[in-house]
Amino acid sequence: MSLFFFATSPRGLESLLLNELKSIGAQEVKETVAGVSFKGDFTLGMKACLWSRFASRILMELSQFYCETDTDLYLAATGVAWEKYFSPDETISVSFSGTNDHIRNTQFGALRVKDAICDRFSKSCGRRPDVDKQDPDVVINCHLNKKSEACILLDLSGRALLKREYHRGTGIAPLKENLAAAMVVRSGYSGENFIDPMCGSGTLLIEAATLATDRAPGLSREHFGFFSLKQFDRSAFNALLDEAQVRAKKGLESALLRGVSITGFDVDEEIVEIASDNADKAGFGDLIKVQSC
């Protein structure tokens, strides 16, 4: 079944994200401000979470509607068949963005959506999900624009996708991974030798290494938001993981065989140690070399 998705990104990365999503099979891909909309099945949504270098989050659209008042918002949110997507055993969190003449506070908007979800579960299942703002199983996103056009989406990502989750150490001004990936790609890097003369904690080096070795950026992640959804197909996801692991293994072997050199320098000896440790944690200890200079 074809579903609607929206991939968020920092402004300026939309064209890179659009081409990336096309390359993994997304359909009807359209660039907007701070993101890209596209269509595909649920497996494609999982694949986007695993493979996107530039997206911050992958959201699955559940409903679009006209929303002038909080009553419109509540009724539309109640009309979503939430029980089709997750059980009341899952904890939830609702994020809300945008305002209009009647809904002037994003916390109030989030509260109305949360109430609608809980009321729907109470009627359909006899019990409601708990709210967990710190570490929820399911994150619901609602966006409202000034024209009173609203949409409700489920976050498939879990933690932001720019968190590659190789447990990196950082310096005082860490570079976000999706911005680093964009810098590497826009530099014209094609997978050969790479030098960063002021490497800091090594973010550019690691993003260059993932490109050089055809490694999925999300391969080290232990959790995605879609794990908690009823649409999650473990066997389909395992197939995506198996393919990504094979490609990463072949890519690393090929890079080492070709003698690819990815080198970083920094004047701070302590940050050089952090960068070297980060390279090891990311699986690139044999490919990335860092020196104090």
Side-chain angles (χ1 to χ4, degrees):
M1 183 178 74
S2 189
L3 302 166
F4 289 92
F5 298 95
F6 187 77
T8 66
S9 72
R11 293 191 179 196
L13 271 62
E14 298 94 341
S15 61
L16 292 173
L17 179 56
L18 180 142
N19 291 329
E20 177 183 67
L21 290 169
K22 283 183 177 180
S23 74
I24 65 170
Q27 303 296 314
E28 298 184 28
V29 186
K30 296 178 181 178
E31 180 180 330
T32 63
V33 178
V36 174
S37 63
F38 63 100
K39 289 180 68 175
D41 59 14
F42 194 81
T43 299
L44 181 74
M46 295 193 295
K47 188 174 184 178
C49 288
L50 182 64
W51 277 97
S52 182
R53 302 181 192 281
F54 311 115
S56 299
R57 295 187 177 278
I58 305 294
L59 309 172
M60 182 173 73
E61 185 179 293
L62 303 185
S63 177
Q64 278 192 352
F65 54 96
Y66 179 76
C67 177
E68 186 174 6
T69 68
D70 68 298
T71 300
D72 296 332
L73 178 62
Y74 177 85
L75 291 174
T78 306
V80 175
W82 297 103
E83 64 277 6
K84 286 175 51 180
Y85 299 101
F86 58 92
S87 81
D89 296 325
E90 312 296 339
T91 58
I92 66 169
S93 177
V94 179
S95 66
F96 191 96
S97 59
T99 58
N100 64 10
D101 291 339
H102 295 273
I103 303 173
R104 301 179 182 181
N105 184 285
T106 56
Q107 290 184 339
F108 175 66
L111 179 63
R112 291 298 278 161
V113 174
K114 185 271 294 181
D115 288 344
I117 296 169
C118 291
D119 289 348
R120 169 97 187 196
F121 270 109
S122 294
K123 290 178 181 178
S124 62
C125 303
R127 54 200 176 94
R128 47 164 285 176
D130 291 329
V131 173
D132 184 346
K133 294 183 179 180
Q134 300 302 317
D135 188 26
D137 298 314
V138 178
V139 176
I140 298 100
N141 178 282
C142 184
H143 178 71
L144 172 68
N145 67 24
K146 290 293 185 181
K147 297 179 181 179
S148 293
E149 299 165 336
C151 59
I152 294 175
L153 312 99
L154 280 177
D155 190 341
L156 302 189
S157 315
R159 294 185 71 204
L161 295 177
L162 58 92
K163 304 292 185 182
R164 309 302 197 214
E165 293 193 8
Y166 50 83
H167 307 294
R168 68 168 180 154
T170 62
I172 58 173
L175 180 64
K176 291 182 178 179
E177 288 90 334
N178 53 355
L179 292 176
M183 291 170 67
V184 172
V185 170
R186 284 185 167 155
S187 76
Y189 181 63
S190 59
E192 300 302 325
N193 296 340
F194 185 92
I195 294 175
D196 182 355
M198 298 175 287
C199 68
S201 59
T203 309
L204 284 170
L205 302 175
I206 291 171
E207 292 302 316
T210 64
L211 282 163
T213 60
D214 193 27
R215 181 183 176 88
L219 194 56
S220 297
R221 288 173 65 103
E222 297 177 354
H223 181 80
F224 289 98
F226 54 74
F227 286 178
S228 299
L229 301 181
K230 292 182 178 180
Q231 286 70 23
F232 175 50
D233 184 336
R234 171 60 70 177
S235 61
F237 182 64
N238 284 343
L240 291 174
L241 275 183
D242 290 344
E243 178 196 14
Q245 288 166 348
V246 168
R247 286 173 61 173
K249 184 175 183 292
K250 288 183 177 179
L252 180 59
E253 290 173 350
S254 174
L256 292 173
L257 188 64
R258 299 194 320 268
V260 172
S261 171
I262 297 179
T263 307
F265 302 98
D266 202 280
V267 69
D268 187 334
E269 293 184 4
E270 184 176 341
I271 204 69
V272 163
E273 290 184 13
I274 291 174
S276 183
D277 187 49
N278 287 339
D280 287 336
K281 289 177 179 176
F284 298 121
D286 291 334
L287 189 61
I288 296 174
K289 303 301 178 186
V290 191
Q291 300 175 37
S292 177
C293 179

